[in-house]
Amino acid sequence: MADDHGHSFDGNHGIWQRGGLDVENLPDPFGTSQTGGTVPPVEPPAKPRRRWLRWGFNAFAALLLATLIWLIVTAPLGRALEPLDDPAMLLVSEEGRPIARRGAVKDEPVEAVKLDPMTPAAFVAIEDRRFRSHWGIDPRAIGRAMVANVRAGGVRQGGSTLTQQLAKTSFLSSDRSMKRKAQEVIIAFWLEAWLTKDEILSRYLSSVYFGDGVYGLRAASRHYFDREPERLTLAQSAMLAGMVQAPSRLAPTRNLALAQKRSRLVLQAMADTGVISLQRAKATKSARPTGVSSSVPTGTYFADWVAPQAAQAFDADYGEVRVETTLDADLQRLAVRAVANANIGDAQAALVALRPDGRVVAMVGGRNYGKSPFNRATQARRQPGSAFKLFVYLAALRAGYTPDSMIEDRPITVEGWSPGNNDGVYRGTITLREAFLRSSNAATVRLAEQVGRQNVIRAARDLGIDSPLTDRPSLSLGTSGLSLLELTSAYAAIAGGRYPVEPRGLPLETEADRGTLASFFARGGQMDDRRDRAPMLNLLWAAANEGTGRRAALSTPTFGKTGTTQNNRDALFIGFAGNLVVGVWVGRDDNGSLGKITGGSAPAEIWRRFMSPAIAIDGRRGPPLPSQFRVPQRREAPVRERESPLPDDWSEGGEAIREIIDLVEQLIEKN
């Protein structure tokens, strides 16, 4: 269909046509001017790629704004001036002797305007010469570093400004990623916008690391030169400024020659920037550290154990926190010597000594901390062997048994398992006292089954054993792993008469803390003297003086129990005398056999070698014994006369021979 002007409509395609051509393809009737010229075509709409760029720019701007808002709200400007989260601690013994130093030191902040002008100038000259003129980042320094690194084939220079370094150390992690670098730049801009140059420099100097676990200029000047930062000389300032590039390598306490060489570069940089003259730079002698060096170790077995407790007890603060501990320096020295001199070949040993109330006074976790800081007194979970029998017999006493009660020492089979006595001897019907002092396995397993394993586990839990205990027939022979400290603390409950005993390395703030409401509702309580404690002391005395632990016996009343595990993999002696409860363990880290070593040999000897001088130093008085207990008289083993290994008929005529020998000796003496 067509109209008067020649228009037609294509019904099949739905398009208007003119002269057989689609209207959309006809020339623009307005595209020709009156003069015959053509009008420039209208630009096409923007391409999608440009829209993506615009959206990306807007997203980046929004992210930048959000980051700045986050910084303002969550990142205080004074963060660099705050003390470290973990305070530096000087651990001291009960007598006040330094025993270990832990953590990094950060002292009070410095103000750049109050320092000698040469001190901040030294840092600016070597770290960021254009610090006073740039706005957070230095494109010129970045370009120079890139060229130098390309020529060197690796990273040799950095282009970070002091502001960027402050941003990194105060707000970011030390990982080298593009994300962290971008954050560093944003924070640097933010710092420059909110702080003056002197404020930025003050924060940088107050937080930068100087090696030897020292942060901040004040701590560094005290540590290396024993003076306040306001009194630093030019040479000392140059040495400290040179250290920040590589503190661990350039610390003068580690490499004085390298630190002095680096300080010469700082002085040259100061001369190049016109801060000092070249003549003064050359005339300045290199500094030497004059701070008081400390021989206090950073780590010991006891320090590693007590440090987490101490960190929770003190808030973050500047400088070094002096922390009093329960350790007795004299007893610790005796413990180290006793373990070091142990005749145990290449096996390991551990010793822990505590008061009946839980105060740890000595701890040795191995024969050499430098070679192995693993603490075998607190971290190792080893089988206690027969030392676990304490809980079996305590459960029996609670059930109405006495040391004079009778038990069968005969072979027994429980759930298909048949324990045997270590000496292979079965003595028939014996008292509990004899079964305990001889450490009879068969009698103990039979007793545990009669009393009930759950009651044995309950007795162990009451005395402070928190490690998992497996409910099986071998439980009574100590097949569940415990730590030496945990087991020794359980014996301390018998020594003091209260349970459980919580071992601690920090003293209570006041004696009144013992009677707080929290301690009133804590689990545990007073041990029954008549039913439990006095009979248990009777058994422990018998084991330490007449039984398997008699090598440990002292002139002071001694109580204890040996422990030896299967194939002699672990050997222990746990006991107490005077006011000390001491546990000794001997074993191998690979859980190999100790050969002939048992709890009654090397561990008992180490225990006695420590306790003999310890009692002399510490005194003999401990917690009062129950009125129902009397220290038995030690029954000395009968002395047997030596008999000649020769037959009697070989001795005939011996009198004549002895007379001849006596005559010869007299002649020798006269001559």
Side-chain angles (χ1 to χ4, degrees), residues 159-503:
S160 296
T161 63
L162 290 180
T163 312
Q164 287 177 268
Q165 294 181 43
L166 175 62
K168 179 178 67 175
T169 57
S170 299
F171 300 97
L172 302 171
S173 63
S174 58
D175 64 306
R176 295 186 176 184
S177 64
M178 292 300 296
K179 176 183 177 182
R180 200 270 298 160
K181 200 67 178 177
Q183 292 173 327
E184 180 183 301
V185 171
I186 294 173
I187 296 174
F189 288 153
W190 176 66
L191 291 172
E192 290 280 348
W194 286 88
L195 300 174
T196 66
K197 289 291 185 179
D198 284 333
E199 289 174 334
I200 293 174
L201 189 56
S202 297
R203 283 160 171 75
Y204 170 79
L205 294 175
S206 298
S207 60
V208 68
Y209 183 55
F210 286 93
D212 278 7
V214 174
Y215 287 84
L217 185 63
R218 189 174 302 280
S221 60
R222 289 174 175 174
H223 176 70
Y224 291 111
F225 302 114
D226 196 22
R227 62 172 58 198
E228 295 302 317
E230 292 82 5
R231 298 178 51 248
L232 287 171
T233 66
L234 174 60
Q236 292 168 344
S237 298
M239 179 168 283
L240 292 175
M243 289 171 54
V244 297
Q245 182 193 55
S248 298
R249 184 169 56 91
L250 296 172
T253 52
R254 296 173 181 264
N255 193 328
L256 178 59
L258 196 59
Q260 290 179 335
K261 181 179 179 181
R262 176 70 177 171
S263 69
R264 305 301 308 174
L265 292 178
V266 176
L267 292 170
Q268 182 63 48
M270 296 177 72
D272 293 342
T273 55
V275 177
I276 60 175
S277 65
L278 182 59
Q279 181 179 4
R280 185 179 181 186
K282 292 181 178 180
T284 302
K285 295 182 179 181
S286 298
R288 300 180 65 89
T290 57
V292 179
S293 61
S294 175
S295 59
V296 179
T298 57
T300 66
Y301 292 114
F302 177 81
D304 291 350
W305 173 71
V306 80
Q309 305 173 41
Q312 296 174 2
F314 298 94
D315 296 329
D317 198 2
Y318 294 114
E320 191 174 66
V321 178
R322 185 181 177 90
V323 181
E324 295 181 359
T325 69
T326 60
L327 193 80
D328 186 295
D330 293 328
L331 296 180
Q332 176 67 18
R333 176 175 48 81
L334 295 176
V336 171
R337 186 174 66 186
V339 171
N341 296 334
N343 186 21
I344 55 175
D346 59 352
Q348 279 289 349
L351 183 153
V352 62
L354 56 147
R355 302 294 183 193
D357 63 1
R359 288 172 290 157
V360 176
V361 294
M363 178 181 289
V364 181
R367 302 186 74 180
N368 190 315
Y369 178 85
K371 292 182 179 179
S372 174
F374 179 72
N375 194 335
R376 296 158 187 84
T378 62
Q379 295 174 286
R381 303 279 174 179
R382 304 292 290 252
Q383 293 183 2
S386 295
F388 189 84
K389 292 175 181 177
L390 173 82
F391 310 111
V392 178
Y393 286 80
L394 177 60
L397 296 175
R398 287 178 169 183
Y401 287 76
T402 71
D404 294 324
S405 298
M406 308 305 290
I407 189 75
E408 292 295 319
D409 181 22
R410 303 181 190 277
I412 181 175
T413 299
V414 182
E415 299 178 12
W417 174 66
S418 301
N421 290 342
N422 288 337
D423 56 8
V425 178
Y426 298 91
R427 296 170 177 83
T429 303
I430 58 176
T431 64
L432 261 61
R433 188 176 191 274
E434 185 174 359
F436 191 80
L437 72 87
R438 295 187 183 278
S439 199
S440 169
N441 291 338
T444 301
V445 172
R446 181 174 278 104
L447 183 63
E449 294 302 310
Q450 292 177 2
V451 173
R453 283 179 239 151
Q454 286 301 319
N455 290 325
V456 174
I457 293 175
R458 183 179 303 168
R461 296 291 185 226
D462 286 346
L463 265 61
I465 299 298
D466 294 324
S467 295
L469 299 175
T470 305
D471 185 359
R472 57 189 179 192
S474 62
L475 166 73
S476 57
L477 301 187
T479 55
S480 298
L482 308 176
S483 74
L484 180 63
L485 179 62
E486 186 178 21
L487 185 61
T488 307
S489 300
Y491 276 71
I494 305 296
R498 294 193 62 88
Y499 63 91
V501 173
E502 297 292 341

Side-chain angles (χ1 to χ4, degrees), residues 540-578:
L540 290 169
W541 187 93
N545 293 269
E546 300 173 352
T548 56
R550 56 186 175 274
R551 292 190 186 182
L554 307 167
S555 58
T556 301
T558 307
F559 307 86
K561 183 70 182 75
T562 58
T564 308
T565 63
Q566 190 175 16
N567 296 326
N568 292 30
R569 292 190 178 95
D570 301 273
L572 304 93
F573 184 83
I574 318 291
F576 50 91

Side-chain angles (χ1 to χ4, degrees), residues 394 398 463 490 493-499 525-534 536:
L394 177 60
R398 287 178 169 183
L463 265 61
I494 305 296
R498 294 193 62 88
Y499 63 91
Q526 188 79 28
M527 186 170 289
D528 189 305
D529 279 351
R530 179 180 296 276
R531 186 195 66 183
D532 300 337
R533 189 173 173 227
M536 199 71 243

